[in-house]
Amino acid sequence: MENYKHIYNIKSPEYLKNKSIKELEEIASEIREFIIDKVSITGGHLSSNLGVVEATIAMHYVFNSPIDKLIFDVGHQSYVHKILTGRAFMFDQLRTMNGVSGFPKYSESPHDVYEVGHSSTSISAMCGFVEERKTNKSIGEVVALIGDGSLQNGLSLAALNYLGTKKNQKGIIIINDNEMSISKNVGGMAQWFNKLRIKKSFKLVRSLTTVSFRNAIKSIVYRNVNMFNQLGFTYIGPIDGHNLKDLISYMDYAKKSSSSIVLHIKTVKGKGYKFAEEDNIGLFHGVSPFDKTTGEFLKKLPNNQMSFSKAVGGSLPKFMDKYPNLKVITPAMIYGMGLTHVFEKYPERTLDVGISEENACVMAGVMARCGSIPIVATYSTFFQRSYDQINHDICRSNEHVIFLFDHAGLVSGDGDTHQGIFDIAMLSSLPNITIASPANLQEFEEVLEIAIHHQGPFVIRYPKCVIDINETYNTTFLNKWKIVRPIREKNILCYGPVVDQFKKILPPGIGLINSLFIKPFDEEIIKMLNNKKLFIYEDVIKENSLSTKIIEYAYLNKLNIEIHSVGVDDFGCVGTLEELHQKYHLSLEEFINNIK
């Protein structure tokens, strides 16, 4: 193991309890070096964890986990917490099937008291803990570290509104204010925090013990404009989020307080690593392996290859040039969705609404009603949060909204909270909606052209993968499936980039069908499969997948098709795509051998 003085000796947070401030600062420096070393090799969430080193150390120094419940929001900023709870030895396998998860995980440690991968849930979770504490005396203090733009989400605000009225239920909220979500924060709340930051933070004077006097001082400092005060919280800040002595003092004060309190700490996202500190677009938020000396990413793709996300982002401008009523909306995913150039070129036709998927969808429905064609773009797993809006506000009234579901299907690295395997099951029962899954960039452009001229909601889903952007294919511009290889006695049916993969390795004598449109599916081709064998390949949840729709259709129409299908039967797990394919019997070679 590396020559770290502290890291591998930390078996629990108790290691911190008798340390001096100087020693704690030494541990903080070591943890930063350790995270940069490990993440540069494995990949993972870098900047967010570098920014919360001192805050997490102070939390574990002051509070007693797991009796005191420490909640991390978003869960990707929990690496320091994992190191301080004895898991440093697992970081060589960070975000691997048998290693340490990139998010809090119940099965890993009793210190992971709330398991989460999506943002803005921590204060609601806090409300649950403080409610249970009334009858469960084993629950101590409840502390939520919330950052990376999570506070602006409606779920956070709803929980703040609720907890502020509960004078007998105390929670401690630590706002990690780094002016960033994945990239720069947006919106009115970001501007409000800017105003708070320029106001001088009053120092904690321990002789000022009466609540009324403290509140009077705060009222003078903040001129009665503080949202948290108005909601019923004691507010202190901004606090230097990298000053361990101050952090410990303020957290100790919060621990002794009898009412709910908000500590507003100001941090630098990427603190301690030059390239991450200077990054304002999200390049070092979640990273693949990189050279820690130069900051350059190690995996370089050939000129003919590109991630599907970036290929889509690079393709959109020509459609926006052609169709002036196209507009793009994304919930804090400009960089992740490959939309940086789109936002730079069309500032008046692009909207980043922050981490607010529900808001994005309702806005899009109204904009469509007014004559625009909005494109709402985020990852498949995040669209789960806006099911009601897609259902009630878009599909019900048949609004012309185009959805880009990135990271669809199985996703490597991030584990069960980030798998894009539920979108088809979630959406296929909705009237009026069309769902397509293109195999490559040219097919994406073909489908987008159809979507633009289509009247009604239209989903285009594509996985996290690399595609060849130079290959050309025969285009049809029809809402139909494609017979890639002639129908035979045995036939494979699939969609997405796996179509091209099958095409390259499929032995003679087996038919191949690209089921480009998942809803509505091509009934004519299904009927052509009567008295044949059909093998359906999907890397989504089996229940309510395309295969179940085909089985139902064949039964109702008395078609004699012998159908075999593969898919996923749980929430997924952490692993490389190859490992996930092995686990769920989705290896292409295994699939073909089973057909043989």
Side-chain angles (χ1 to χ4, degrees):
M1 290 186 176
E2 299 91 339
N3 186 28
Y4 290 110
K5 179 179 177 181
H6 296 283
I7 295 288
Y8 292 112
N9 291 319
I10 301 174
K11 307 303 180 186
S12 78
E14 288 298 316
Y15 185 86
L16 304 175
K17 300 298 185 181
N18 61 352
K19 296 291 188 289
S20 66
I21 294 296
K22 184 177 180 180
E23 288 173 315
L24 293 176
E25 289 171 344
E26 187 178 274
I27 292 170
S29 178
E30 208 173 274
I31 287 175
R32 277 204 173 86
E33 181 184 351
F34 180 83
I35 288 175
I36 294 168
D37 280 345
K38 297 304 178 185
V39 175
S40 70
I41 297 169
T42 64
H45 287 94
L46 181 67
S47 295
S48 49
N49 287 289
L50 294 177
V52 298
V53 173
E54 288 84 5
T56 311
I57 289 173
M59 288 168 68
H60 276 293
Y61 183 87
V62 172
F63 300 102
N64 297 306
S65 175
I67 294 170
D68 293 332
K69 308 303 178 184
L70 307 186
I71 307 168
F72 295 86
D73 188 354
V74 181
H76 61 236
Q77 58 180 347
S78 62
Y79 290 12
V80 186
H81 162 75
K82 294 196 174 204
I83 293 167
L84 296 176
T85 51
R87 285 172 274 178
F89 71 95
M90 300 173 69
F91 269 68
D92 285 330
Q93 288 81 42
L94 176 64
R95 298 167 78 242
T96 64
M97 188 168 281
N98 298 310
V100 63
S101 169
F103 296 87
K105 201 75 179 166
Y106 292 136
S107 59
E108 273 185 19
S109 170
H111 294 281
D112 290 3
V113 299
Y114 183 63
E115 188 173 293
V116 62
H118 291 181
S119 81
S120 312
T121 57
S122 60
I123 305 176
S124 292
M126 170 181 285
C127 292
F129 278 119
V130 297
E131 176 64 29
E132 283 299 298
R133 189 171 55 195
K134 291 190 298 186
T135 55
N136 185 344
K137 301 308 178 184
S138 67
I139 298 174
E141 299 289 345
V142 186
V143 187
L145 177 68
I146 180 168
D148 278 0
S150 296
L151 192 65
Q152 68 195 35
N153 183 281
L155 183 59
S156 291
L157 297 178
L160 277 171
N161 180 60
Y162 173 84
L163 187 59
T165 66
K166 303 296 180 180
K167 302 305 179 185
N168 62 336
Q169 295 184 5
K170 175 198 168 189
I172 300 169
I173 299 168
I174 303 171
I175 300 171
N176 171 28
D177 173 18
N178 55 24
E179 303 182 49
M180 301 280 279
S181 179
I182 291 173
S183 51
K184 278 289 184 182
N185 267 339
V186 298
M189 186 162 283
Q191 294 175 8
W192 178 72
F193 268 110
N194 286 337
K195 293 177 182 178
L196 273 185
R197 288 184 209 108
I198 64 174
K199 296 180 183 295
K200 184 179 179 181
S201 174
F202 71 90
K203 282 288 182 181
L204 190 63
V205 182
R206 294 200 180 272
S207 60
L208 304 181
T209 56
T210 67
V211 173
S212 59
F213 193 40
R214 288 201 304 271
N215 286 342
I217 295 294
K218 286 190 297 232
S219 295
I220 293 170
V221 174
Y222 296 109
R223 300 178 187 174
N224 287 317
V225 296
N226 191 304
M227 176 186 75
F228 301 107
N229 289 340
Q230 299 300 317
L231 286 173
F233 295 90
T234 299
Y235 169 91
I236 301 176
I239 303 162
D240 182 353
H242 301 297
N243 184 315
L244 270 164
K245 184 176 180 181
D246 282 358
L247 286 169
I248 289 170
S249 295
Y250 285 117
M251 289 187 195
D252 188 58
Y253 172 75
K255 183 177 182 179
K256 294 172 181 176
S257 172
S258 60
S259 60
S260 290
I261 193 165
V262 172
L263 301 181
H264 174 187
I265 69 172
K266 181 70 181 69
T267 64
V268 176
K269 189 167 184 177
K271 175 75 172 176
Y273 185 58
K274 174 179 180 290
F275 302 105
E277 286 188 25
E278 296 173 353
D279 170 34
N280 63 3
I281 64 170
L283 190 65
F284 283 91
H285 174 79
V287 297
S288 58
F290 62 95
D291 184 326
K292 66 179 183 180
T293 303
T294 65
E296 293 184 3
F297 294 101
L298 300 180
K299 187 177 180 180
K300 297 186 182 297
L301 297 174
N303 291 334
N304 66 316
Q305 292 185 350
M306 188 179 292
S307 74
F308 214 139
S309 303
K310 289 186 177 180
V312 167
S315 179
L316 285 178
K318 63 183 175 184
F319 288 92
M320 296 188 74
D321 287 341
K322 185 177 178 181
Y323 300 104
N325 57 342
L326 275 183
K327 296 180 179 178
V328 175
I329 309 171
T330 190
M333 293 297 295
I334 295 175
Y335 180 76
M337 294 288 296
L339 300 172
T340 304
H341 176 62
V342 180
F343 271 69
E344 290 173 350
K345 186 174 181 180
Y346 308 96
E348 300 302 317
R349 293 164 60 193
T350 50
L351 302 167
D352 182 354
V353 300
I355 303 178
S356 307
E357 296 86 356
E358 304 93 325
N359 182 39
C361 290
V362 172
M363 284 180 64
V366 172
M367 291 163 65
R369 175 67 46 170
C370 293
S372 291
I373 305 177
I375 298 175
V376 184
T378 192
Y379 291 176
S380 173
T381 184
F382 300 143
F383 267 119
Q384 293 168 185
R385 311 188 111 197
S386 55
Y387 173 79
D388 182 62
Q389 288 70 41
I390 297 173
N391 179 328
H392 183 274
D393 302 294
I394 295 174
C395 289
R396 184 184 56 83
S397 50
N398 201 29
E399 308 298 350
H400 189 187
V401 177
I402 299 171
F403 298 97
L404 301 184
F405 276 57
D406 198 342
H407 283 46
L410 286 169
V411 178
S412 61
D414 284 335
D416 53 5
T417 60
H418 280 60
Q419 299 299 347
I421 58 178
F422 296 100
D423 50 10
I424 293 174
M426 179 177 76
L427 300 174
S428 60
S429 64
L430 296 178
N432 297 325
I433 200 165
T434 298
I435 306 172
S437 193
N440 45 64
L441 180 61
Q442 184 171 333
E443 205 164 84
F444 168 81
E445 293 180 348
E446 172 186 339
V447 170
L448 181 56
E449 187 74 35
I450 294 170
I452 290 169
H453 294 283
H454 178 82
Q455 292 303 312
F458 201 110
V459 171
I460 306 175
R461 62 185 304 279
Y462 47 95
K464 177 186 178 182
C465 70
V466 172
I467 58 173
D468 190 322
I469 58 175
N470 291 338
E471 285 194 44
T472 57
Y473 307 86
N474 294 326
T475 56
T476 60
F477 293 99
L478 294 172
N479 299 34
K480 295 290 183 181
W481 290 355
K482 298 179 179 181
I483 299 176
V484 181
R485 289 195 176 182
I487 291 177
R488 306 282 189 176
E489 176 65 21
K490 297 179 178 180
N491 305 278
I492 293 175
L493 185 147
C494 57
Y495 47 79
V498 73
V499 172
D500 294 334
Q501 297 171 31
F502 270 124
K503 189 167 61 174
K504 292 174 182 176
I505 65 173
L506 199 60
I510 299 176
L512 179 61
I513 300 165
N514 175 4
S515 53
L516 171 59
F517 286 87
I518 297 161
K519 183 183 179 182
F521 61 74
D522 193 329
E523 296 179 8
E524 292 180 14
I525 290 184
I526 290 293
K527 291 174 181 176
M528 292 168 62
L529 293 167
N530 195 29
N531 297 317
K532 303 286 193 297
K533 294 181 180 180
L534 181 62
F535 299 83
I536 304 173
Y537 182 100
E538 297 183 271
D539 67 339
V540 299
I541 201 76
K542 287 180 181 179
E543 194 72 27
N544 287 323
S545 63
L546 175 59
S547 64
T548 62
K549 303 296 182 185
I550 292 173
I551 291 168
E552 179 184 32
Y553 180 84
Y555 173 78
L556 293 175
N557 289 274
K558 297 180 172 55
L559 298 176
N560 181 31
I561 308 173
E562 184 181 322
I563 299 174
H564 304 266
S565 65
V566 293
V568 182
D569 55 11
D570 58 28
F571 281 91
C573 63
V574 177
T576 65
L577 201 56
E578 291 75 18
E579 289 171 331
L580 295 173
H581 282 174
Q582 290 292 334
K583 175 178 172 64
Y584 296 108
H585 305 288
L586 288 164
S587 159
L588 269 60
E589 291 76 12
E590 179 182 349
F591 189 78
I592 291 172
N593 285 336
N594 287 339
I595 294 173
K596 290 178 181 179

